[in-house]
Amino acid sequence: MRDVALRAGVSTMTVSRVLSDPGKVSAEVRQRVMAAIEAAGYVPNRLAGSLSSRHSRVIGLIVPSLENSLFAPTIQGISEVLRRNGYQLMVADCGGSDAEEEALVTAFLAQRVAGLVLHNTRHTAAARAMIRRAGIPVVETGTLTPKPLDMVVSYSNHEASRAMTLHLHRLGYRRIGFVSLPAAGNNRALARQGGYRAALAEAGLPPEPRLMLEMPPGLPSGAEAVVRLAEGPVPADAIFFAGDVLAVGALFECQRRGWAVPGRVGIAAFDNIEILGQMVPPITTLRLPRAEIGRRAAEILLDRIQGRSAGPVRVDLGFEIIQRAST
Amino acid sequence: MRDVALRAGVSTMTVSRVLSDPGKVSAEVRQRVMAAIEAAGYVPNRLAGSLSSRHSRVIGLIVPSLENSLFAPTIQGISEVLRRNGYQLMVADCGGSDAEEEALVTAFLAQRVAGLVLHNTRHTAAARAMIRRAGIPVVETGTLTPKPLDMVVSYSNHEASRAMTLHLHRLGYRRIGFVSLPAAGNNRALARQGGYRAALAEAGLPPEPRLMLEMPPGLPSGAEAVVRLAEGPVPADAIFFAGDVLAVGALFECQRRGWAVPGRVGIAAFDNIEILGQMVPPITTLRLPRAEIGRRAAEILLDRIQGRSAGPVRVDLGFEIIQRAST
DNA sequence: TTGTAAGCGTTATCAT
DNA sequence: ATGATAACGCTTACAA
């Protein structure tokens, strides 16, 4: 910048102003400075800028996994909004571990991020304390948690799960199986289990442990689950797969076995991944506002950072049942 | 840090040393400093550190899309290696636009990233110039480009496409259709088309424009393509889908129409996404080293940054044909 | 082993 | 409208 200032015959302050608030500089000087910037091939140093101004334009995002394509639309949504506003995105994955999340929060705070997006809604006490001390805004996106750190943008996993279960009941199913990811340490899976149980109670169906399964993520898990529940001691007439791509794996297994869907067993999924609608038969599922969650999360974060809002924010973006031929 | 130093009764330099090279500080003082850090809830400011030392621990990654799950394993691989080495990852997507990539390169250089990973192998002249001036290492990962900016870690899209086409020929197919993403401005799609053409020539099959199609990404595109090529003026006996999830969409369409695969038409894909192996029938495809590309890219970048290597690097991680029931 | 001083490249603040 | 000066919080280089 010193170089640019010399070339343009002005002080570094003037160069700085041309970059940050061109209106404050006379047109003639601005021209000269711009030319000097061009000639010098000058790229401003935001590290120095942030250090001096005590404001950074970087947002940190921590997701349980970067590999899982479920997070992709959310990340894209965040990225989109940040980019439009001249902000940068730092990402990391914590593999669902609270301790790892804490370490990543520390690393991000050390980078002096201006805000955080956390997909998880469980955090270590140390992580909470650090974030509070740092005084930066935080958005949680994983589920509409009742006691957020700060702000939440999501949908209710409990309500979505409950709604789908009631929907299946309304369709006439009476032995509704439920398959989720392992619930230990996963607030989203827990909420979904809760919603399923609540719906059974409302519908007057007795809870049946042999109709509930927890499986690791992946297509083979879904395949295994459909067999266990449809051929089990209490054969399910429909199965609600509340996690990942389990429903896809299940339908493939039915195709391999020649089982009619929904004749032999109905199948419902939890997420609107594109493939569900293309399968034969297309699978009943929930439409979740994945991309919208990302966009809104970024927006309210920026609102807060730029002083356009204050106080707690809780945005429920809802969900929608998509009834298709599989149930 | 000043606060920590006061609490521990030492200079800030000593605190700095405890953090960066604890061996240089006596055990007793180290204890005291650590305690002070804890008590103060001190989180070091890496912005200041990087500014002062002129080294950052942030790597920038630019992909064409964050939404496309194809990049997920690569991103995860990079993230994994960086995390292990105490580095941070900044990501952004350029939507396949060179101009946007240039803007993002500028933004990353302004953040003084220590290195760059670019998926694209096409760049604007300005982007090339900036990167050269910045003097930071760069890895390109999209394809084994002949004239890399600096380092490349990938596989050859040309060779992979050629190998699969020859494989189909060896299986007895003679009217091999080829579907790719739009090749304009996409070096990967271009390379795949080239490989297909080269294979036809080697096999002594005449090139047939009516057997080649460019389609936008997405399942419906694959569905449309299979119909157009299998019912076209020159009906394909096999189709090689060299892009995205086109093959999946195609097979679903065949299921809907009751077409036997491979009886009516053989189907081959380009990427080892999990679902291909689970479909009915499972789809012949190429195994590509997606995650490995990410890991290696990060590793050679760190090697270069930490002075463990110099000079051009070109890593060909190869590919592998997975023959399955769809061909 | 520990400390002092200078400087990294900006911006905030106050002058002019 | 422009400039001078002092931070911002650390690390490098040198000294003790």
Side-chain angles (χ1 to χ4, degrees):
Chain A
M1 187 156 119
R2 171 149 231 82
D3 177 36
V4 172
L6 289 176
R7 285 174 191 251
V10 296
S11 72
T12 59
M13 248 339 279
T14 301
V15 177
S16 174
R17 275 192 274 256
V18 168
L19 258 24
S20 58
D21 193 354
K24 291 199 157 183
V25 177
S26 73
E28 187 234 340
V29 172
R30 194 175 5 182
Q31 297 288 328
R32 239 189 311 143
V33 171
M34 298 294 265
I37 287 176
E38 179 70 21
Y42 169 68
V43 177
N45 186 331
R46 298 246 173 275
L47 259 38
S50 294
L51 177 61
S52 179
S53 67
R54 299 147 141 294
H55 294 296
S56 92
R57 290 185 150 254
V58 177
I59 298 296
L61 166 68
I62 303 177
V63 287
S65 157
L66 284 166
E67 199 147 14
N68 192 322
S69 60
L70 290 186
F71 304 119
T74 306
I75 299 179
Q76 175 92 31
I78 294 172
S79 165
E80 224 174 272
V81 172
L82 293 187
R83 176 108 195 75
R84 251 206 319 273
N85 289 273
Y87 277 67
Q88 240 52 54
L89 179 62
M90 258 184 194
V91 297
D93 66 289
C94 64
S97 141
D98 294 7
E100 185 67 8
E101 191 197 60
E102 178 187 320
L104 289 167
V105 166
T106 312
F108 281 165
L109 292 182
Q111 300 285 350
R112 294 301 186 265
V113 295
L116 280 173
V117 181
L118 305 179
H119 191 79
N120 279 349
T121 48
R122 278 188 30 166
H123 319 283
T124 65
R128 287 172 181 273
M130 273 192 305
I131 292 171
R132 200 176 333 106
R133 285 185 56 110
I136 61 172
V138 184
V139 188
E140 289 164 280
T141 55
T143 192
L144 219 52
T145 173
K147 289 199 58 186
L149 275 174
D150 181 6
M151 308 187 277
V152 218
V153 178
S154 196
Y155 61 91
S156 165
N157 277 274
H158 181 98
E159 288 308 313
S161 184
R162 173 169 160 272
M164 177 60 88
T165 308
L166 289 174
H167 176 72
L168 293 174
H169 179 256
R170 220 173 297 123
L171 291 176
Y173 295 104
R174 289 299 175 265
R175 290 188 312 283
I176 303 170
F178 180 85
V179 185
S180 69
L181 300 180
N186 182 336
N187 279 354
R188 296 174 296 282
L190 266 174
R192 294 177 191 182
Q193 287 184 352
Y196 166 74
R197 286 214 184 80
L200 289 191
E202 281 178 61
L205 295 176
E208 169 54 77
R210 285 169 298 180
L211 280 175
M212 294 185 71
L213 230 45
E214 292 187 10
M215 302 293 287
L219 294 174
S221 286
E224 183 186 336
V226 72
V227 175
R228 281 170 59 184
L229 290 184
E231 292 192 331
V234 185
D237 55 3
I239 306 177
F240 177 20
F241 290 89
D244 214 62
V245 289
L246 296 169
V248 175
L251 179 50
F252 282 147
E253 182 65 23
C254 292
Q255 291 178 352
R256 285 191 288 265
R257 291 177 175 251
W259 289 0
V261 174
R264 161 104 196 219
V265 63
I267 289 182
F270 198 88
D271 211 326
N272 55 333
I273 54 180
E274 191 191 6
I275 192 177
L276 292 173
Q278 300 293 318
M279 297 189 74
V280 183
I283 300 180
T284 294
T285 191
L286 289 156
R287 191 193 314 282
L288 305 176
R290 298 263 180 218
E292 185 64 14
I293 287 175
R295 284 191 294 267
R296 292 297 295 276
E299 281 164 5
I300 65 174
L301 210 48
L302 293 181
D303 282 350
R304 194 64 148 297
I305 289 168
Q306 297 167 357
R308 285 194 299 272
S309 79
V313 176
R314 176 193 171 87
V315 182
D316 184 350
L317 292 174
F319 56 83
E320 190 189 330
I321 289 176
I322 311 174
Q323 163 62 24
R324 295 202 273 236
S326 71
T327 53
Chain B
M1 186 155 121
R2 171 147 232 84
D3 177 35
V4 172
L6 288 175
R7 285 174 192 250
V10 297
S11 73
T12 59
M13 242 346 276
T14 300
V15 177
S16 174
R17 275 193 274 257
V18 167
L19 256 25
S20 58
D21 192 355
K24 290 198 157 185
V25 176
S26 72
E28 188 234 340
V29 172
R30 194 177 2 180
Q31 297 287 329
R32 236 188 313 142
V33 172
M34 298 292 266
I37 287 176
E38 178 71 21
Y42 170 67
V43 178
N45 186 332
R46 299 248 172 271
L47 259 39
S50 295
L51 178 61
S52 178
S53 67
R54 298 144 144 293
H55 294 296
S56 92
R57 291 185 150 256
V58 177
I59 298 296
L61 165 68
I62 303 177
V63 288
S65 157
L66 284 165
E67 198 146 15
N68 191 322
S69 59
L70 289 185
F71 305 119
T74 306
I75 299 179
Q76 175 93 32
I78 294 172
S79 165
E80 223 174 272
V81 172
L82 292 187
R83 175 106 195 78
R84 253 206 318 274
N85 289 272
Y87 277 67
Q88 240 53 52
L89 179 63
M90 256 184 195
V91 298
D93 67 290
C94 64
S97 141
D98 295 6
E100 186 67 8
E101 191 197 60
E102 178 187 321
L104 290 167
V105 166
T106 312
F108 281 165
L109 292 182
Q111 300 285 349
R112 295 300 186 266
V113 295
L116 280 173
V117 181
L118 305 178
H119 191 80
N120 279 349
T121 48
R122 279 187 32 164
H123 320 283
T124 66
R128 287 171 182 274
M130 274 192 306
I131 293 172
R132 199 174 337 105
R133 284 184 58 109
I136 60 172
V138 184
V139 188
E140 289 164 281
T141 55
T143 191
L144 219 52
T145 173
K147 289 197 58 185
L149 276 175
D150 181 7
M151 307 187 278
V152 217
V153 178
S154 195
Y155 60 91
S156 166
N157 279 273
H158 180 98
E159 289 308 313
S161 184
R162 173 170 161 270
M164 177 59 88
T165 308
L166 288 175
H167 175 73
L168 293 174
H169 179 256
R170 219 173 296 122
L171 291 177
Y173 295 104
R174 289 299 175 267
R175 291 189 311 285
I176 303 170
F178 179 84
V179 185
S180 69
L181 300 180
N186 182 335
N187 279 354
R188 298 174 294 283
L190 266 174
R192 293 176 192 182
Q193 288 185 353
Y196 166 74
R197 287 214 184 79
L200 289 191
E202 281 178 63
L205 295 176
E208 170 55 75
R210 285 169 298 181
L211 281 174
M212 292 184 71
L213 232 44
E214 291 187 12
M215 300 293 287
L219 294 174
S221 284
E224 183 186 335
V226 72
V227 174
R228 281 170 59 183
L229 289 184
E231 291 191 330
V234 185
D237 54 4
I239 306 177
F240 177 21
F241 291 89
D244 214 62
V245 290
L246 296 169
V248 176
L251 180 49
F252 283 146
E253 183 63 23
C254 293
Q255 292 178 351
R256 286 190 287 263
R257 290 176 176 251
W259 289 0
V261 173
R264 161 105 195 217
V265 63
I267 289 182
F270 198 89
D271 212 326
N272 54 332
I273 54 180
E274 190 191 8
I275 192 179
L276 292 172
Q278 300 292 320
M279 297 189 73
V280 183
I283 299 182
T284 294
T285 192
L286 289 156
R287 191 193 313 282
L288 305 175
R290 297 264 180 219
E292 184 65 13
I293 287 174
R295 285 191 294 267
R296 291 296 294 277
E299 281 165 5
I300 66 174
L301 210 49
L302 294 181
D303 282 350
R304 195 62 148 295
I305 290 168
Q306 296 167 356
R308 285 193 299 271
S309 79
V313 177
R314 176 193 171 87
V315 182
D316 184 351
L317 292 174
F319 56 84
E320 190 189 331
I321 289 177
I322 311 175
Q323 163 62 24
R324 298 201 184 107
S326 71
T327 54

